[in-house]
Amino acid sequence: GENVEQHPSTLSVQEGDSAVIKCTYSDSASNYFPWYKQELGKGPQLIIDIRSNVGEKKDQRIAVTLNKTAKHFSLHITETQPEDSAVYFCAATETSYDKVIFGPGTSLSVIP
Amino acid sequence: DTGVSQNPRHKITKRGQNVTFRCDPISEHNRLYWYRQTLGQGPEFLTYFQNEAQLEKSRLLSDRFSAERPKGSFSTLEIQRTEQGDSAMYLCASSRTVAGDSPLHFGNGTRLTVT
């Protein structure tokens, strides 16, 4: 079955700097890669996703890149703000599957 | 879109007791998922429903766990004879179609503490 790894487990950046979170997956059949943000006391919320027919996707300050050959995908947050502080999860699945597999998470702290 | 609702938000129970959690998905979503999340970990898949049919159960779901989704609307997750290892956040999510094709919408979870 699918296995998703995520690094780093914790990340601390100064406000305004960029943050990068990297993930790897094991199942070459996976072709849908969502990213979730979880704030304290809340459930995860989708922030961006990418499908395998696209190498990069951007939404304002957030971008995701995908390297299918290497089975790597990354989240990039530019111009970080204190409200970006949260736990971020990468995930992977195959289009026809219902089981989304999550990475262990990255706790991001943005220091004002 | 009123979001996914989970009740209760917190549950403290003694070891050996039974507990039941409820999840109300987004109304037009036919898929409903249960995940478990322990401190410092990502959500782990437990089971999911397409309408009222339970289609897959994880190995994590021992025979003390049972989930139902009568009439394809709300769902309940029951844990019998709770153990301290059951302490976790139980998350419910729903999606309009298969999860690989439409995003999961999560509720805010039920935090279970077994003493």
Side-chain angles (χ1 to χ4, degrees):
Chain A
E2 178 66 277
N3 182 52
V4 178
E5 298 186 351
Q6 185 171 349
H7 301 279
S9 57
T10 60
L11 180 59
S12 186
V13 299
Q14 291 290 136
E15 181 178 357
D17 288 349
S18 296
V20 180
I21 301 170
K22 298 183 178 182
C23 291
T24 61
Y25 62 99
S26 61
D27 189 349
S28 57
S30 288
N31 57 10
Y32 174 60
F33 307 92
W35 285 86
Y36 286 82
K37 176 184 180 182
Q38 187 173 28
E39 297 175 333
L40 202 61
K42 295 187 177 180
Q45 183 176 23
L46 180 77
I47 54 172
I48 196 167
D49 56 13
I50 190 168
R51 298 190 183 273
S52 61
N53 58 349
V54 175
E56 184 173 355
K57 183 177 179 180
K58 190 173 182 180
D59 183 4
Q60 299 182 343
R61 297 185 296 110
I62 295 174
V64 291
T65 58
L66 172 64
N67 182 329
K68 277 222 75 174
T69 304
K71 296 188 213 170
H72 290 175
F73 56 117
S74 300
L75 177 72
H76 304 251
I77 305 174
T78 58
E79 301 171 19
T80 53
Q81 301 168 2
E83 51 265 38
D84 294 330
S85 296
V87 179
Y88 290 82
F89 296 99
C90 59
T93 190
E94 197 271 329
T95 303
S96 64
Y97 290 170
D98 265 295
K99 189 162 62 177
V100 177
I101 304 301
F102 286 80
T106 296
S107 180
L108 173 64
S109 297
V110 179
I111 304 165
Chain B
D1 181 351
T2 57
V4 177
S5 176
Q6 290 189 248
N7 288 288
R9 289 298 312 276
H10 304 274
K11 178 71 177 178
I12 300 173
T13 191
K14 292 186 185 301
R15 189 178 55 183
Q17 297 295 304
N18 299 343
V19 294
T20 299
F21 311 140
R22 176 176 170 130
C23 171
D24 288 272
I26 295 171
S27 58
E28 65 267 25
H29 288 186
N30 63 28
R31 254 99 170 159
L32 186 148
Y33 309 82
W34 286 98
Y35 280 80
R36 182 171 68 187
Q37 186 178 27
T38 52
L39 201 61
Q41 298 297 316
E44 294 176 294
F45 172 84
L46 293 179
T47 188
Y48 88 96
F49 293 83
Q50 178 179 333
N51 297 315
E52 66 275 11
Q54 187 174 16
L55 296 185
E56 186 174 344
K57 297 198 305 186
S58 163
R59 293 189 306 273
L60 296 173
L61 216 61
S62 77
D63 55 8
R64 295 184 297 105
F65 288 70
S66 63
E68 294 182 340
R69 192 184 182 197
K71 301 178 183 178
S73 55
F74 70 92
S75 175
T76 58
L77 178 67
E78 181 182 17
I79 309 174
Q80 296 182 326
R81 306 181 302 281
T82 51
E83 301 173 356
Q84 287 187 322
D86 296 331
S87 295
M89 173 77 83
Y90 290 84
L91 292 165
C92 175
S94 69
S95 66
R96 188 174 47 81
T97 63
V98 64
D101 197 45
S102 65
L104 296 180
H105 296 258
F106 282 90
N108 287 331
T110 293
R111 181 167 294 284
L112 173 66
T113 302
V114 182
T115 61

